[in-house]
Amino acid sequence: MGDNVAERQLSIFIVSDSLGETAQRMVHAVMSQFPDLEQVEVKKFSFIKDKSELIQVLDLAKAREAIVVTTLALKTYQLAGQAYAKEHGIQYVDYMSPLMSIVEEKSGITPTEETGMIRKLDEEYFRRIEAIEYSVKYDDGKHFTDIGEADALIVGVSRTSKTPLSMYLANKGYKIANIPLVPEVDIPESVYQHPNLKVFGLTASPQYIMNIRTERVKTLGITGRANYNDLARIKKELAYAEEVFKKLNATVINTEYRSIEESAFYIEKFLPKYH
């Protein structure tokens, strides 16, 4: 029995109005369960753009007695494919419409019928991971080499929420660099060499920053930084920050009593739309 089956040519047509990767993975998973089946032809027909093209592919499948495996997002294609397969006795596997119908029925939400959504989701995921890696690397002024790649640079004195804001935006797919501003430490000249870099300066009142730093000193038991929460020192830092904001042509945001989400929402208005 096994020998005759193994010698037969088996044709599988993958048909999609996108790339067809989902159906291809499923076919690969199924065929891995038939290691003795050597004569297998798998042909992929991607980016089906109209019903006539779909019917041409199905005509060929009928002539070749091929199994047709589809991932078609558009309902008109789904219905046309199913009708043709039924009329002509084609062995036809539709990976999209049964589950889409169940989800639509259960949720009450109509599917977008937009092709290539998995690829878009994958792209968004990898962009977000890349943005997080970049933002961690360029957190707290640790690196400056590729700062021109940033979607935004955030600068400000300690305790103005630079890192939380950077990470929040990174999770939304934005590459964010941030640099702490300290009067005794100059920002490298290379930072000023990117005139198109969007810069945001974070600030708050001296008293507000002093209160936060005092709490931090208590909580963490910080020693050796006697002037960290000194009001006069904080005013000096803020004055220096104002100078840097002007040099970098920064958009200034007062983070006092403002949530990370609010600050991020404001910054996003100036950034490219990724989603």
Side-chain angles (χ1 to χ4, degrees):
M1 165 182 148
D3 290 342
N4 291 335
V5 173
E7 287 169 8
R8 287 182 59 190
Q9 171 79 34
L10 182 70
S11 291
I12 300 175
F13 282 15
I14 293 169
V15 185
S16 178
D17 45 15
S18 184
L19 198 57
E21 290 173 313
T22 304
Q24 192 168 25
R25 282 195 289 266
M26 288 299 293
V27 168
H28 179 72
V30 169
M31 297 317 297
S32 69
Q33 299 299 312
F34 297 89
D36 295 332
L37 189 57
E38 295 174 1
Q39 299 296 314
V40 181
E41 173 199 44
V42 178
K43 290 179 71 70
K44 188 164 69 163
F45 300 86
S46 303
F47 302 111
I48 297 295
K49 58 184 180 295
D50 54 50
K51 275 202 285 187
S52 64
E53 187 179 352
L54 174 62
I55 298 304
Q56 283 176 7
V57 172
L58 295 178
D59 281 340
L60 183 60
K62 179 189 172 189
R64 299 282 282 274
E65 297 184 359
I67 299 166
V68 176
V69 178
T70 70
T71 48
L72 296 165
L74 275 76
K75 192 167 281 186
T76 52
Y77 293 178
Q78 293 171 0
L79 294 173
Q82 290 162 6
Y84 185 101
K86 187 175 182 181
E87 182 182 347
H88 297 278
I90 292 175
Q91 289 171 304
Y92 187 94
V93 181
D94 178 350
Y95 278 130
M96 291 285 279
S97 63
L99 184 55
M100 279 174 64
S101 297
I102 292 168
V103 173
E104 182 177 4
E105 184 184 337
K106 286 279 186 184
S107 67
I109 297 171
T110 304
T112 63
E113 293 193 35
E114 190 175 340
T115 61
M117 289 301 287
I118 286 179
R119 197 165 67 256
K120 289 175 187 175
L121 288 171
D122 284 346
E123 286 169 4
E124 186 177 322
Y125 170 78
F126 287 116
R127 185 179 61 246
R128 194 166 72 248
I129 295 301
E130 188 180 342
I132 291 168
E133 288 175 348
Y134 179 95
S135 301
V136 168
K137 182 178 178 182
Y138 286 81
D139 178 44
D140 215 26
K142 291 195 289 281
H143 287 85
F144 299 96
T145 47
D146 295 320
I147 210 158
E149 292 181 12
D151 289 304
L153 167 64
I154 292 174
V155 293
V157 304
S158 173
R159 299 296 98 197
T160 48
S161 303
K162 294 184 303 300
T163 295
L165 187 52
S166 296
M167 295 307 139
Y168 182 89
L169 288 165
N171 270 285
K172 301 190 92 175
Y174 296 107
K175 291 181 179 178
I176 308 293
N178 80 72
I179 301 173
L181 299 181
V182 183
E184 294 78 14
V185 182
D186 290 332
I187 290 180
E189 279 301 314
S190 59
V191 175
Y192 296 98
Q193 292 167 7
H194 301 283
N196 297 322
L197 183 61
K198 293 182 177 66
V199 184
F200 298 88
L202 307 187
T203 191
S205 70
Q207 188 68 46
Y208 176 81
I209 293 172
M210 186 186 78
N211 292 341
I212 292 178
R213 290 188 184 182
T214 300
E215 285 303 313
R216 185 166 173 78
V217 168
K218 287 178 187 173
T219 305
L220 300 180
I222 297 171
T223 57
R225 294 176 68 183
N227 64 352
Y228 178 68
N229 59 334
D230 177 72
L231 192 59
R233 164 67 188 187
I234 291 168
K235 286 179 179 177
K236 181 181 176 182
E237 288 182 28
L238 288 170
Y240 169 69
E242 287 293 333
E243 292 174 18
V244 174
F245 295 164
K246 285 174 186 169
K247 283 178 75 175
L248 289 170
N249 195 28
T251 300
V252 182
I253 302 172
N254 190 319
T255 58
E256 188 166 344
Y257 304 116
R258 178 180 272 175
S259 69
I260 298 299
E261 291 82 359
E262 286 176 284
S263 298
F265 179 75
Y266 181 76
I267 289 173
E268 280 189 86
K269 292 178 183 177
F270 297 88
L271 302 182
K273 299 295 179 193
Y274 286 144
H275 42 269

